[in-house]
Amino acid sequence: MGEGVKRHTFGIEQLVAASEAARNFSALRKKAKLSPRLILENNKPDSVIISIEQYQQIQEVIRMLEDEIFELKAISRIQKAETEGVKTYKFDEFATEEDRTIVKSAKDWDISDEELFE
């Protein structure tokens, strides 16, 4: 992990044997809503149980980081092109009215980066 990134550590009360988790799953779910639980299989980390709120927060952070990575890659490509003397154009310099209409409607599209760059 990079410097400044804090790794989550689990307290002893958050460690749960897999066999215990299987026997008392209902109680484990309730406890996981308060703080994450690390499930151990043969004394080795196997799974983590977290609340739906924590899961959604993690998903949002991942989405924001993916967006930031995408933007940084785009900036890097533009800078590389400019360094290599490739002429760049702003969208408004070549876009037709139809292009502008498509871009305005694209705000509602749900296309992954993988689909976009196939």
Side-chain angles (χ1 to χ4, degrees):
M1 294 234 138
E3 209 167 299
V5 176
K6 183 180 177 188
R7 291 183 63 130
H8 181 80
T9 55
F10 290 90
I12 191 76
E13 72 284 352
Q14 293 174 283
L15 304 178
V16 181
S19 57
E20 174 70 17
R23 279 193 307 273
N24 298 310
F25 189 68
S26 179
L28 176 62
R29 284 181 39 239
K30 289 176 185 173
K31 290 178 181 177
K33 291 179 181 181
L34 302 174
S35 65
R37 302 297 159 164
L38 178 64
I39 309 302
L40 303 173
E41 180 74 42
N42 296 322
N43 290 324
K44 293 182 183 166
D46 178 73
S47 307
V48 174
I49 298 182
I50 58 175
S51 69
I52 190 65
E53 292 81 14
Q54 289 172 314
Y55 175 79
Q56 290 169 337
Q57 289 172 351
I58 291 168
Q59 290 299 307
E60 180 61 20
V61 168
I62 289 170
R63 189 197 60 73
M64 289 183 337
L65 290 172
E66 288 173 339
D67 289 349
E68 191 167 327
I69 289 168
F70 177 83
E71 290 175 21
L72 290 171
K73 284 181 179 179
I75 290 167
S76 176
R77 288 179 181 172
I78 291 168
Q79 290 173 339
K80 181 180 179 194
E82 290 172 345
T83 301
E84 294 173 354
V86 174
K87 174 104 173 91
T88 58
Y89 298 91
K90 294 186 178 190
F91 180 73
D92 290 333
E93 293 176 322
F94 64 86
T96 65
E97 195 57 43
E98 182 182 0
D99 294 334
R100 289 182 182 89
T101 302
I102 292 170
V103 168
K104 286 179 186 175
S105 70
K107 292 178 182 176
D108 298 329
W109 294 355
D110 187 16
I111 299 173
S112 70
D113 291 348
E114 290 78 21
E115 291 173 308
L116 186 62
F117 291 106
E118 284 183 334

